[in-house]
Amino acid sequence: MTSPQQNLNPTGLDKKTSAILSYALGWLTGIVFLIVGKHDPDVRFHAAQSTVFFGAVSVLNIVLSILGSLLGAVGIILSLAGFALGVFAAVVWIMAMLQANRTGGVRAELPIVGKLVAPYAERLAGAVN
């Protein structure tokens, strides 16, 4: 039987809490938990998934903002697309934290976009060993 201390990572947090917090501030906490949770493959996966998904959303929002400012009237459409992307990301963010809570921190793909993001998250998580 394992003691509760063996289930804690270097921050003193358990797997479930670490998995949830890896999504808390998007790619920023994803990167943090890639580092501090590197000894737990499930936490590392959640952190990598957060980094990949929310990093991609951030890059897309920056691109849409730049293009929107350069293209005048078309910029309104791009601004609406950026807003829709933000709403979509917020929904995925909430669903990801609820899923990490429900599974107890065990590895699980993001809702809605998991099949697209998971292969990249696996590679990133594997690179952090």
Side-chain angles (χ1 to χ4, degrees), residues 54-68:
F54 293 107
V57 166
S58 295
V59 168
L60 279 172
N61 265 327
I62 290 168
V63 168
L64 287 172
S65 295
I66 291 171
L67 288 175

Side-chain angles (χ1 to χ4, degrees), residues 57 60-62 64-65 75-91:
V57 166
L60 279 172
N61 265 327
I62 290 168
L64 287 172
S65 295
I76 295 170
I77 295 170
L78 294 177
S79 293
L80 290 173
F83 176 73
L85 180 62
V87 170
F88 175 70
V91 168

Side-chain angles (χ1 to χ4, degrees), residues 7-79:
N7 295 327
L8 301 179
N9 64 35
T11 63
L13 300 172
D14 63 4
K15 177 190 299 233
K16 177 179 172 180
T17 304
S18 296
I20 294 168
L21 289 177
S22 68
Y23 296 106
L25 296 176
W27 59 265
L28 182 63
T29 50
I31 291 171
V32 168
F33 279 92
L34 268 174
I35 297 165
V36 299
K38 68 181 179 181
H39 299 295
D40 185 322
D42 293 330
V43 172
R44 195 172 61 227
F45 178 80
H46 281 286
Q49 191 167 235
S50 177
T51 302
V52 169
F53 176 72
F54 293 107
V57 166
S58 295
V59 168
L60 279 172
N61 265 327
I62 290 168
V63 168
L64 287 172
S65 295
I66 291 171
L67 288 175
S69 67
L70 295 175
L71 297 177
V74 178
I76 295 170
I77 295 170
L78 294 177
S79 293

